[in-house]
Amino acid sequence: MMTKYLAKEKYITFKVSTYILALPIDSVFKVVTCPDDLSQTLRATKLAQMGQRTVMLFNLYSYLECNHDRNQQENDHSGRFLIIAQGRIGELYGIQVDAPPNMLSISETSIQPIPQSFHHIGLPTWVSRIAILNQKGEPITILMLDINQAFASKS
């Protein structure tokens, strides 16, 4: 009896606003609790030193929330986590999230490309694929973040 093997990749998933996003595990350098002093540094300068490395903050809230209230976000930093992702040429990017991220295996069959027309309704171009999963009988949509595409437009 032959069993058909479905390839599954591991992703770090996290919530930003009302969206669930995912990064491939191989693009995540590390996840750390974001100390208040680092959180303030990132908010003020968008760059921070972590040991010998410089990290640039990527504020996903401003891209994904239509009514993003910068002051509300800046005043609420308790319990934040920093996902540090690494781009193709070794640069580091920090994404602040409110709750600890999860690791999730997602099968290739659950992932599909996003039609170009979806970008015209405000979905950022660095979200090129989505995964639709069934959890506890409810469908959930996960936006697949392409870290290299996201930061190519910031450089």
Side-chain angles (χ1 to χ4, degrees):
M1 181 169 139
M2 250 186 173
T3 305
K4 188 174 182 179
Y5 175 74
L6 294 176
K8 286 191 171 199
E9 295 291 323
K10 291 189 186 285
Y11 291 86
I12 294 291
T13 61
F14 52 97
K15 192 169 184 180
V16 172
S17 184
T18 59
Y19 298 95
I20 299 172
L21 294 129
L23 276 170
I25 193 79
D26 60 358
S27 69
V28 176
F29 182 69
K30 70 164 72 170
V31 177
V32 296
T33 302
C34 195
D36 286 337
D37 59 335
L38 178 60
S39 189
Q40 290 174 4
T41 300
L42 290 170
R43 183 175 68 220
T45 65
K46 306 297 183 223
L47 292 173
Q49 281 302 122
M50 294 192 74
Q52 299 296 318
R53 316 264 325 244
T54 302
V55 177
M56 182 178 80
L57 178 68
F58 191 51
N59 185 345
L60 294 179
Y61 288 90
S62 64
Y63 286 95
L64 297 172
E65 286 185 354
C66 298
N67 300 318
H68 174 68
D69 183 351
R70 186 178 175 93
N71 291 330
Q72 178 185 351
Q73 183 193 359
E74 289 178 356
N75 292 330
D76 181 22
H77 285 282
S78 59
R80 287 255 168 126
F81 293 83
L82 186 66
I83 299 170
I84 302 172
Q86 189 164 15
R88 276 189 211 112
I89 55 175
E91 63 283 353
L92 296 179
Y93 304 103
I95 301 169
Q96 280 185 297
V97 295
D98 294 322
N102 298 308
M103 188 180 321
L104 184 65
S105 293
I106 302 174
S107 72
E108 290 178 14
T109 58
S110 299
I111 300 172
Q112 56 190 313
I114 292 180
Q116 275 301 111
S117 60
F118 281 36
H119 297 295
H120 297 295
I121 61 169
L123 199 57
T125 56
W126 37 262
V127 177
S128 59
R129 303 177 308 149
I130 59 172
I132 300 173
L133 305 176
N134 190 352
Q135 286 192 337
K136 299 178 184 171
E138 295 289 322
I140 62 165
T141 301
I142 300 174
L143 305 179
M144 311 302 281
L145 177 59
D146 180 343
I147 201 77
N148 294 300
Q149 179 65 32
F151 297 112
S153 61
K154 301 289 284 181
S155 306

